[in-house]
Amino acid sequence: MADPVGLLLVGCGRISAAHLGALAGLEGEIRLAGVADADQGARHRAAAAHAVPAFADLDEALAMPGVDAVLIASPNALHAAQAAAALAAGKHVLVEKPLAETGAEASALADLAQARGLVLAAGHTFRHNEAVAELVRRMPQWGALHAVEVSACVFWDGPQAPWWAARTPAEGLILSLFAPHSLDFVQLVMGQDDPLRVHAETARWQSGWRAEDEAMILLRYPGRRMASIHISYNQRSVFDRKVLHFARGVAEIADGEFLTWNGEVLVSPPPGIIDDARRMGGRRLDHFFRQQLRAFVAAIRGQPNLCPTGRDAARLIDLLDRVKAAARDSMG
Ligand SMILES: NC(=O)c1ccc[n+]([C@@H]2O[C@H](COP(=O)([O-])OP(=O)(O)OC[C@H]3O[C@@H](n4cnc5c(N)ncnc54)[C@H](O)[C@@H]3O)[C@@H](O)[C@H]2O)c1
């Protein structure tokens, strides 16, 4: 039995709690070796809670014995440079989405990882649920995929961090923060093809921020396939659906957890996962983060990498740039 993978966590903010929580139950596979954060309070809180060393300096943290892999959960603008430093130090890397700010940066990281034989994975957490995994396994039996409809509508009562309020329409709010999850799903089911055409319309309903909080995206793929995505931060009754039209019928993923095929339930969540799917916080998400860490460890151990790679991430970032450009054009 191999030793557990030693993990350095970089960035101990909001989302780090989900990753640290996910480590519980994976003791034989992965263990926290240390944490790094520029903020003294954040790094000391995380270090004290898990009895591991805390670092202000990334290079010092990377030099610590027992670090095999790095999980980067810092602000987006730091991802590419920190991932490059970790790969250069010979560490496997899991990076919170987005992997980098540009597709070119993500591709460069993919090259670096490949040259060094290291795992580079992008943290598109929602691929790692049983409903999505089973859909991907069964899709080949269902005939040609014609169309995909994704609705991901939630409610945020104003900015969840001060910088949300400062995002400009050009930088994008919901298109930058939330659209990547839905786009990653569409890219997953569309395979290696990128869309031929991209359309987008956006709107803003809330006054607590400057950029768009509602969007509709329409994608045309090769082979007559189409996808629509509706994302919202304004829906108090949370609505989360993925509907896929195949030649032989309709597959649907409801609330991220229930997979049906022509109405027959194929996957449903274990008890305790969904309390009230219509309510923000009414679903437990920690199992997705645990599955993601499990997939990362499996890839480190030489099994196929089920996480999106640097190349997938580069394609997704390029697609997101096209969506934002289409949204700007639509506002004309
Ligand atoms: N997978 C998901 O569903 C999901 C959900 C939320 C956020 N995210 C992603 O996670 C990342 C972090 O988001 P968050 O909401 O936790 O942000 P956050 O601002 O709460 O946390 C970021 C942390 O990074 C620290 N930091 C800043 N500079 C640093 C440096 N130079 N070195 C190390 N640490 C530094 C900050 O002090 C802070 O503690 C973002 O990239 C975001 O897109 C993913």
Side-chain angles (χ1 to χ4, degrees):
M1 185 79 179
D3 286 341
V5 168
L7 184 74
L8 171 70
L9 171 69
V10 178
C12 308
R14 257 177 10 119
I15 203 63
S16 70
H19 294 291
L20 289 169
L23 287 168
L26 297 178
E27 285 83 4
E29 298 169 60
I30 186 162
R31 61 170 187 88
L32 190 67
V35 296
D37 196 300
D39 181 88
Q40 191 178 14
R43 68 175 176 269
H44 283 302
R45 270 191 302 278
H50 296 270
V52 293
F55 298 86
D57 181 74
L58 179 60
D59 290 332
E60 245 179 71
L62 289 170
M64 179 179 59
V67 174
D68 309 299
V70 179
L71 166 51
I72 297 177
S74 58
N76 299 0
L78 302 175
H79 290 182
Q82 290 180 333
L87 290 168
K91 314 298 179 190
H92 304 285
V93 187
L94 170 61
V95 189
E96 258 302 352
K97 57 89 194 156
L99 184 76
E101 297 256 78
T102 67
E105 285 171 342
S107 292
L109 289 172
D111 291 343
L112 188 55
Q114 192 173 2
R116 298 193 150 239
L118 295 165
V119 174
L120 171 65
H124 287 287
T125 323
F126 298 99
R127 276 192 185 203
H128 300 282
N129 71 7
E130 192 43 34
V132 173
E134 185 64 12
L135 169 85
V136 170
R137 277 194 289 269
R138 291 202 184 217
M139 268 176 59
Q141 311 160 16
W142 292 340
L145 176 60
H146 295 175
V148 181
E149 305 162 51
V150 177
S151 296
C153 301
V154 299
F155 186 73
W156 288 122
D157 195 6
Q160 297 306 293
W163 56 266
W164 284 34
R167 300 283 298 182
T168 63
E171 290 167 329
L173 181 67
I174 197 167
L175 285 182
S176 290
L177 303 188
F178 202 39
H181 291 304
S182 299
L183 288 169
D184 181 60
F185 175 77
V186 172
Q187 290 286 84
L188 176 68
V189 295
M190 291 296 182
Q192 286 310 303
D193 291 322
D194 290 312
L196 300 169
R197 277 197 297 281
V198 174
H199 312 265
E201 297 286 342
T202 60
R204 180 170 64 82
W205 287 86
Q206 296 193 39
S207 56
W209 41 53
R210 300 164 59 196
E212 81 295 334
D213 53 25
E214 185 110 10
M216 281 204 169
I217 303 166
L218 191 58
L219 305 166
R220 168 79 189 209
Y221 280 84
R224 291 174 282 172
R225 292 170 299 161
M226 292 177 275
S228 69
I229 296 173
H230 174 204
I231 46 174
S232 174
Y233 280 166
N234 304 305
Q235 183 47 263
R236 287 173 191 268
S237 179
V238 171
F239 189 76
D240 178 0
R241 289 283 182 286
K242 299 174 177 74
V243 180
L244 298 95
H245 298 256
F246 291 90
R248 300 204 179 99
V250 178
E252 178 174 334
I253 296 178
D255 303 321
E257 302 281 0
F258 296 90
L259 172 66
T260 56
W261 169 244
N262 291 334
E264 178 199 351
V265 179
L266 300 181
V267 174
S268 50
I273 295 291
I274 295 189
D275 170 30
D276 175 0
R278 303 278 80 74
R279 190 172 54 75
M280 290 297 279
R283 279 166 52 185
R284 277 181 47 198
L285 301 178
D286 51 341
H287 56 303
F288 297 161
F289 287 85
R290 192 166 295 120
Q291 273 305 107
Q292 178 171 268
L293 278 176
R294 225 176 238 138
F296 181 50
V297 171
I300 291 172
R301 302 271 191 238
Q303 289 165 37
N305 187 358
L306 298 181
C307 297
T309 64
R311 311 249 177 250
D312 302 323
R315 286 177 54 217
L316 187 75
I317 294 164
D318 287 340
L319 174 55
L320 193 58
D321 286 344
R322 291 174 67 192
V323 170
K324 286 188 196 169
R328 276 196 295 277
D329 290 349
S330 79
M331 287 190 286

